[in-house]
Amino acid sequence: MSAAEHRDLIPWYHPKKLLISFRRSPPLVAFALSALLFLITILINPKGLNNRFIGSLILLTTLLAISSAGQTIVLIGGGMDFSVGAVMSAAAIIATYTMDKQDSVLIYVQVLALSLLMGAVVGLLNGFFVVKIGLPAMIVTMAVSNIITRLQYVFTSGSPAGWAGQKFVDSIIYRFFDLIPSIVIYALLFVPVVFWILNRSRFGKQVYMVGNNRQAAYLTGVRVNWVIIMTYVISGMMSAFAGILGAGYKATARVDIFGEYAFTSLVAVIVGGTTFSGGVGTYTGTIAGALLMTVLSNLLTTLGLPQTMRDILNGVIIILLLMLYNRSKAVRQ
Amino acid sequence: MNTLTQSVKKFRRTPAFTGFVLFTIALVMNILMQGINSGTPLAFFKPAFYGSMLMTNAPFILTTMAQSLLLIVGLFDISIGIQLALVNVICIMVPQELGLPIWAGWLAAMGANLLVSAAFGACSSLLRLPAMLVGYAFTFIIKGVNVSIMSKPQGKVPKEVYLPYQTLIGGVLPVALLVIVAIFLMWLLIKRRPLGKHLYAVGGNPRNAYAAGISPVKVQMQANLLKGFIVGVGGICLTLMNASGNPLQAEDYGLRSLIACILGGMGFGGWGSMACGVFGASFFVLIQNAVYYFFSYLSKVITGFAVSTYWQNLVSDVILLLGLLVTIITAREQRKTLKEGLFNQFKGGEARVSR
């Protein structure tokens, strides 16, 4: 091999190519933007760079990444799950109500079983309606999510329901070395599962296929409807799991406490390079998107602007992020 | 075949049929529940009642009509609810803070909302960003603008301005209904003009429309501006109804109007009409009313029966989901029509001749 040929194989000899491949990789862009925004945050407020700040950044990113996992799978399968926020809130309420300041393995098992069951049932409803009604997934899951929220009101009469057990709360917010929050342990258990589902399992391949081309997937023998329903079931269960962790983080839960996660998770997933059209996307991207959204929200807090300016800036930045690489093809092409 | 059955059959194939069925069911339920509850069977037909119902819900119905216009060109805007609040805030603040006449406030509000709609159109059509997330971002931006213009609910509208809106012409005809009818007539007019055809062409398939010499961006921008105008009218109605300003109201109209459109039989792009929006929104309103009367009747009949509004909301939302389920049956004819239409296209019109 000549020296020139050898050089061709090394990416950093071709900065232009490197730039192109960088721009084509949304996770990389999202990570880079996160780093940039983080730097800006530090430059604005150097005193803010302490263990507490970084710890809370990790905690919130982990929570958002976990709650966006289901959304990622559903979007890759060509659907959309709007009930993430409602399911998370419902699971949080189940958790705090069942625990009621107590800690024991039995109660943990109860909470886990009840919440996951609830998530699975909601997911099953979502999936069934999406497949059977044949209406856009967004509308159907939105209608189901409204009902979940109403049920929370009926169940709690609108007031906060119970408290999470102290030990459970500590298992989320305790800081190792005074820096890394203990929620990371849950993430270490959870994230490999998502990667396994999407990249290693047969089901994951089928989800990509269904999202890419439903007809072709059907013709190759994939049970398309079953796969779609399962994406919603998995999404519901993952959201429920995220809701339990969220209950530990907030220590108490009220109606619709995580309602905003319906949209934040969606934005995180989209910013991470998963597309609305389905068939494209990675969980790495979603983690990058979650980091970006958390850093952004931290930056807006650090700027110390009034709420109105924060809102406006938040909206403008989301549009700029979308403009960067989430544009659909031109009609002319 | 006589003309009546023929026109009924024709109606069954229009997109608005789904919405019409739901609307009729809700209307009958509402009339029954209200009749049973109040003891007078025809309580619904009192002008004072339906007048006030139309007046309070006209902003929502108009918003849904605007949303349906966007859906025809394949877009949707979930910030449409907070845009109502923007119009409301400017309507109140321009006369109050700048001392200008009220009509100037209305004009400014309309202008501002047309600007917002143009910006939305620029983001979603020109830059081709996903409409849903643009709507989400716009909700933040408009909310921020609203609160910076008006920090807390305040202001009032002179009585001689809002009273005409709240009256019944000749004691039977609510002004709010006239506004809705006027906007609907405007739509019928547009539908007959080339723009109407272009809206459907672009919504159905932008690439084909482009190949046929229609600019999708231009048509989508026009749809956005029309939407902005209708929402502006809705915002003015909201101002006249409340006679005060609130920067954060009506945000949920964005998502609700979208569900109402789908209930009314709209599709995402090229399918449905503004009638779908009207029927869908009316279904929404009537069901909530009917559920309210049903529960207040139960609490009258059964002693000790008392439920919170939370239960009422739950039941209404469950009925809305059932409404979506009903579209499986009611939309069957239309889906068939749609498929036949596609078939005709492929056959180059031959099939239509032989049928």
Side-chain angles (χ1 to χ4, degrees), chain B residues 16-131:
Chain B
F17 178 71
T18 310
F20 178 74
V21 170
L22 289 176
F23 168 74
T24 316
I25 295 172
L27 187 67
V28 171
M29 267 178 71
N30 192 353
I31 293 171
L32 280 179
M33 288 303 161
Q34 198 174 356
I36 293 170
N37 182 49
S38 63
T40 40
L42 295 179
F44 178 83
F45 297 98
K46 278 184 190 154
F49 169 74
Y50 67 74
S52 81
M53 195 169 87
L54 268 166
M55 185 189 80
T56 39
N57 292 304
F60 177 59
I61 296 175
L62 286 169
T63 314
T64 314
M65 287 162 84
Q67 188 78 272
S68 66
L69 195 65
L70 275 190
L71 275 170
I72 291 173
V73 290
L75 296 173
F76 60 94
D77 184 357
I78 57 170
S79 66
I80 205 166
I82 201 80
Q83 285 171 23
L84 275 180
L86 174 72
V87 174
N88 170 246
V89 161
I90 296 178
C91 278
I92 295 287
M93 290 313 260
V94 166
Q96 185 180 312
E97 298 297 313
L98 304 178
L100 293 171
I102 287 172
W103 58 263
W106 289 16
L107 270 185
M110 192 61 100
N113 204 51
L114 285 177
L115 212 64
V116 168
S117 301
F120 183 89
C123 287
S124 57
S125 319
L126 208 59
L127 298 173
R128 305 185 300 273
L129 306 176

Side-chain angles (χ1 to χ4, degrees), chain A residues 101-245:
Chain A
K101 285 187 185 170
Q102 294 164 41
D103 284 295
S104 77
V105 175
L106 186 69
I107 287 177
Y108 293 160
V109 172
Q110 263 181 356
V111 167
L112 201 62
L114 274 175
S115 304
L116 290 186
L117 185 71
M118 183 273 302
V121 169
V122 174
L124 197 65
L125 281 178
N126 274 335
F128 183 75
F129 286 145
V130 166
V131 167
K132 285 296 163 198
I133 301 185
L135 284 176
M138 185 177 77
I139 301 296
V140 177
T141 52
M142 211 185 277
V144 171
S145 139
N146 281 345
I147 292 177
I148 312 296
T149 308
R150 298 301 189 197
L151 275 173
Q152 293 168 32
Y153 274 112
V154 168
F155 183 73
T156 62
S157 312
S159 46
W163 293 84
Q166 191 55 45
K167 275 182 194 153
F168 177 65
V169 172
D170 287 340
S171 81
I172 305 267
I173 61 168
Y174 175 79
R175 303 289 156 92
F176 298 112
F177 316 116
D178 214 18
L179 175 69
I180 299 165
S182 45
I183 193 175
V184 169
I185 298 173
Y186 293 98
L188 288 178
L189 295 173
F190 179 84
V191 172
V193 175
V194 182
F195 275 116
W196 180 79
I197 291 178
L198 277 177
N199 301 337
R200 287 278 173 269
S201 73
R202 175 201 294 243
F203 173 74
K205 300 286 170 214
Q206 290 179 339
V207 172
Y208 276 99
M209 264 179 98
V210 169
N212 218 337
N213 189 335
R214 205 168 282 193
Q215 214 78 37
Y218 176 77
L219 291 176
T220 42
V222 176
R223 285 184 291 164
V224 172
N225 285 352
W226 184 82
V227 170
I228 292 176
I229 292 175
M230 278 315 283
T231 57
Y232 285 98
V233 172
I234 290 176
S235 170
M237 288 169 77
M238 286 180 170
S239 308
F241 182 69
I244 301 174
L245 298 186

Side-chain angles (χ1 to χ4, degrees), chain B residues 198-281:
Chain B
H198 292 181
L199 291 174
Y200 280 99
V202 169
N205 189 331
R207 270 156 235 273
N208 289 358
Y210 180 78
I214 304 168
S215 160
V217 173
K218 189 178 151 203
V219 172
Q220 286 185 336
M221 282 300 269
Q222 282 166 331
N224 264 303
L225 290 177
L226 278 172
K227 176 225 92 185
F229 174 74
I230 300 175
V231 172
V233 173
I236 292 171
C237 286
L238 187 71
T239 311
L240 293 176
M241 177 189 98
N242 290 339
S244 70
N246 181 351
L248 294 175
Q249 67 189 331
E251 194 189 330
D252 59 334
Y253 281 18
L255 291 176
R256 276 170 57 190
S257 64
L258 193 56
I259 297 187
C261 280
I262 301 298
L263 276 169
M266 303 281 312
F268 277 80
W271 185 251
S273 71
M274 204 175 262
C276 297
V278 176
F279 285 138

Side-chain angles (χ1 to χ4, degrees), chain A residues 82 136 150 276 327-328 332, chain B residues 127-128 130 132 210 268 317:
Chain A
F82 226 80
R150 298 301 189 197
F276 273 119
R327 298 172 57 178
S328 50
R332 288 181 295 281
Chain B
L127 298 173
R128 305 185 300 273
M132 165 158 221
Y210 180 78
F268 277 80
D317 272 359

Side-chain angles (χ1 to χ4, degrees), chain B residues 259-321:
Chain B
I259 297 187
C261 280
I262 301 298
L263 276 169
M266 303 281 312
F268 277 80
W271 185 251
S273 71
M274 204 175 262
C276 297
V278 176
F279 285 138
S282 311
F283 173 75
F284 229 100
V285 169
L286 288 170
I287 280 297
Q288 272 161 0
N289 244 347
V291 170
Y292 166 75
Y293 285 118
F294 177 66
F295 274 100
S296 61
Y297 174 69
L298 281 186
S299 63
K300 266 185 207 166
V301 179
I302 308 165
T303 44
F305 180 88
V307 288
S308 59
T309 49
Y310 299 139
W311 275 101
Q312 290 179 22
N313 292 335
L314 177 65
V315 172
S316 321
D317 272 359
V318 170
I319 294 177
L320 288 180
L321 183 69

